[in-house]
Amino acid sequence: MSNKMWGGRFSTAPDAIMEEINASIGFDQRLYAQDIAGSKAHAAMLAAQGIVAAKDAQKITKGLDTILSEIEAGKFSFRRELEDIHMNVESRLAELIGAPAGRLHTARSRNDQVATDFRLYVRDTVDALDAQLADLQRALAEKALAHAATVMPGFTHLQTAQPVTFGHHLMAYVEMMARDRSRFADARARLNECPLGSAALAGTSFPIDREATAAALGFDRPTANSLDAVSDRDFVMETLSAASICAIHLSRFAEEVVIWTSPSFALVKLSDAFTTGSSIMPQKRNPDAAELVRAKAGRIIGALTGILVVMKGLPLAYAKDMQEDKEGAFDAFSALSLVIAATAGMVRDLSPDEKRMATAAGQGYSTATDLADWLVRALNIPFREAHHITGRIVALASDRGIALHKVPLEDMQAVDKRITGDVFSVLSVVRSVRSRTSYGGTAPQRVRAQARRWLKRLGAAPDAT
């Protein structure tokens, strides 16, 4: 039996193993909406250019609309022997309208068709992810505004460093998400060129209007080189790179949630909505949502690595290797969408233990830098000298097992006689955070201003907190 897809060149059907390795319909069927949109734009252009009859283009468009409805209603039968979404749609179109369906593929190839479909899909994905990230930013900024003055320990090396506010900490992730959105936006701007009309690799001799199809599909312009257009997958790699960085940011936040909710820290709590129990230990409340957010970064980064390896040695133009560009990307984008949603849910759900946070903020001599700063201001001495004096006072407090503000004034004066009782005005965690008024600092007034600025930018109405 001859191969219906390849016509006269092949006289027998492919081996079952060949069919198995060659087919992509199991995953690329999710491109159906983009494939049909591209075909409709192509048909309209062919008719406008007089390449196909208007009546045939009308039948093609009507048939494509029917196929779209069938797929969306779950009534479409995807056939593995037809390999991919393009041939499945074309085959069904032939069943619906007959001979005019065969005119649709004039002046195009599956090479430029799939490149167009995939760009449309990635563009739609970027738009959806951007909306999700904006929602996550809103959740973070709203929580930050509510806790602009809630004191917590700030860490370096996961050791208590200086007091900060919970709001300030959350706003750090708002900034991270802003960079993520910017990277996605940059990727979107570069991918928004239309490959359709590049055909297999050399363009076409038909008098097509590539500007018309590009405009119809919402692209900024057609691609400038047909070889590059069909072989380029930079847009996938770049978007997956942005997705990987975003996943790392989400994983860092998830790790902090895991740490903060552990009994050893007990800084925040998650409700039953975002925790699970143990099959054997009835007391457990596990932060599984956070742990899975953390873990899924691996599969997203893995998808980026996968396509980088696939593309690294391919000569121009198209090669079947490039069929491996989609499955990992589909999985990665779905995973990222899920973890953004889970993170936004956790942010809205979590509640800080303000008393515990304040206590922890004062541990580990966290106001030592405030003492050193006071020495610089009050005694007009170089910071390095102040650092040395402060270190001696901290060592004294540590030897006695007492907090910094509990060291008697006379003992401080034994280290440096110029110290006065005014030093105690800077040693509380509340005064410490209030003093950090530099732009971008942790002072509550700064945090409120930044949170309100972001909420306004995100289209949310900040409250009067």
Side-chain angles (χ1 to χ4, degrees):
M1 182 180 71
S2 66
N3 188 301
K4 293 180 180 179
M5 290 175 61
W6 310 132
R9 179 65 179 86
F10 289 76
S11 59
T12 62
D15 186 90
I17 294 298
M18 178 62 197
E19 185 175 300
E20 179 70 20
I21 196 172
N22 199 44
S24 60
I25 190 60
F27 53 85
D28 73 11
Q29 61 185 260
R30 72 172 65 194
L31 294 174
Y32 73 89
Q34 291 80 15
D35 191 73
I36 290 171
S39 291
K40 289 172 67 175
H42 187 64
M45 180 275 296
L46 292 175
Q49 294 297 105
I51 299 170
V52 303
K55 63 178 182 179
D56 286 343
Q58 290 170 359
K59 290 179 181 178
I60 289 170
T61 298
K62 184 177 179 181
L64 290 170
D65 286 336
T66 299
I67 294 169
L68 181 62
S69 298
E70 289 177 347
I71 295 175
E72 290 178 341
K75 298 178 180 179
F76 188 92
S77 178
F78 292 101
R79 294 162 55 190
R80 190 171 185 81
E81 69 271 17
L82 294 175
E83 292 188 8
D84 55 33
I85 185 61
H86 323 299
M87 298 308 297
N88 269 266
V89 169
E90 186 174 319
S91 177
R92 177 57 177 152
L93 185 63
E95 292 174 358
L96 289 171
I97 68 171
R103 301 188 182 278
L104 175 60
H105 211 53
T106 305
R108 76 173 184 185
S109 162
R110 284 195 296 176
N111 293 357
D112 62 335
Q113 189 178 357
V114 69
T116 303
D117 292 358
F118 204 11
R119 283 184 188 242
L120 289 170
Y121 179 87
V122 173
R123 190 179 71 185
D124 291 343
T125 296
V126 167
D127 291 345
L129 291 172
D130 182 73
Q132 285 191 281
L133 286 169
D135 179 66
L136 174 54
Q137 285 182 298
R138 278 191 292 271
L140 288 162
E142 287 166 356
K143 188 76 72 170
L145 186 59
H147 292 283
T150 301
V151 177
M152 69 172 290
F155 300 99
T156 61
H157 308 275
L158 206 55
Q159 305 294 312
T160 301
Q162 291 178 270
V164 296
T165 68
F166 187 47
H168 187 59
H169 197 112
L170 294 176
M171 288 304 298
Y173 286 98
V174 175
E175 297 296 330
M176 290 186 202
M177 298 303 112
R179 294 194 296 274
D180 291 327
R181 293 179 66 192
S182 178
R183 274 183 283 269
F184 279 121
D186 287 346
R188 190 192 193 284
R190 270 183 287 278
L191 74 81
N192 207 35
E193 296 182 345
C194 185
L196 197 57
S198 298
L201 74 162
T204 178
S205 59
F206 288 95
I208 62 173
D209 184 350
R210 294 192 62 207
E211 285 77 12
T213 48
L217 294 170
F219 288 106
D220 294 331
R221 64 191 69 86
T223 51
N225 183 285
S226 59
L227 275 169
D228 178 55
V230 299
S231 60
D232 168 43
R233 292 300 183 270
D234 289 5
F235 65 95
V236 190
M237 293 186 285
E238 186 173 5
T239 306
L240 281 173
S241 178
S244 296
I245 296 171
C246 181
I248 289 169
H249 289 158
L250 297 170
S251 180
R252 294 181 72 180
F253 179 77
E255 169 69 1
E256 295 201 303
V257 171
V258 171
I259 292 170
W260 292 344
T261 56
S262 68
S264 299
F265 280 75
L267 299 180
V268 303
K269 295 178 182 177
L270 286 171
S271 75
D272 294 354
F274 286 92
T275 55
T276 64
S278 165
S279 64
I280 190 172
M281 296 169 285
Q283 83 282 8
K284 294 293 295 298
R285 182 188 290 275
N286 299 322
D288 283 4
E291 291 172 357
L292 289 167
V293 168
R294 187 176 59 185
K296 286 184 185 295
R299 69 195 303 161
I300 296 167
I301 296 167
L304 171 60
T305 303
I307 192 169
L308 290 173
V309 173
V310 166
M311 297 299 298
K312 72 173 181 63
L314 295 187
L316 297 180
Y318 181 83
K320 195 69 171 184
D321 309 51
M322 292 166 69
Q323 183 168 289
E324 292 297 312
D325 62 352
K326 297 174 199 66
E327 196 169 9
F330 291 156
D331 180 77
F333 295 143
S334 295
L336 183 60
S337 176
L338 179 59
V339 297
I340 294 171
T343 303
M346 285 190 291
V347 169
R348 291 188 168 102
D349 182 71
L350 63 83
S351 57
D353 185 330
E354 296 184 29
K355 184 177 180 180
R356 171 66 179 163
M357 278 187 169
T359 300
Q363 295 173 344
Y365 309 106
S366 64
T367 57
T369 304
D370 297 274
L371 171 56
D373 289 345
W374 181 89
L375 290 169
V376 170
R377 288 194 304 269
L379 305 185
N380 193 29
I381 62 176
F383 180 80
R384 285 302 168 198
E385 182 181 349
H387 187 285
H388 180 74
I389 294 168
T390 300
R392 291 177 61 192
I393 295 172
V394 169
L396 188 154
S398 179
D399 289 343
R400 297 184 183 180
I402 58 176
L404 197 57
H405 67 278
K406 296 290 187 181
V407 177
L409 177 60
E410 56 268 26
D411 291 340
M412 290 190 190
Q413 290 174 331
V415 174
D416 192 299
K417 63 182 180 180
R418 294 170 292 179
I419 297 175
T420 69
D422 185 56
V423 70
F424 293 102
S425 67
V426 302
L427 296 183
S428 75
V429 293
V430 172
R431 287 180 179 270
S432 175
V433 297
R434 286 178 181 172
S435 72
R436 306 292 170 181
T437 56
S438 58
Y439 183 79
T442 193
Q445 67 191 72
R446 285 294 191 184
V447 175
R448 291 189 186 100
Q450 292 284 22
R452 288 179 176 134
R453 179 179 67 86
W454 267 109
L455 288 171
K456 182 179 180 180
R457 181 174 172 182
L458 293 164
D463 61 29
T465 302

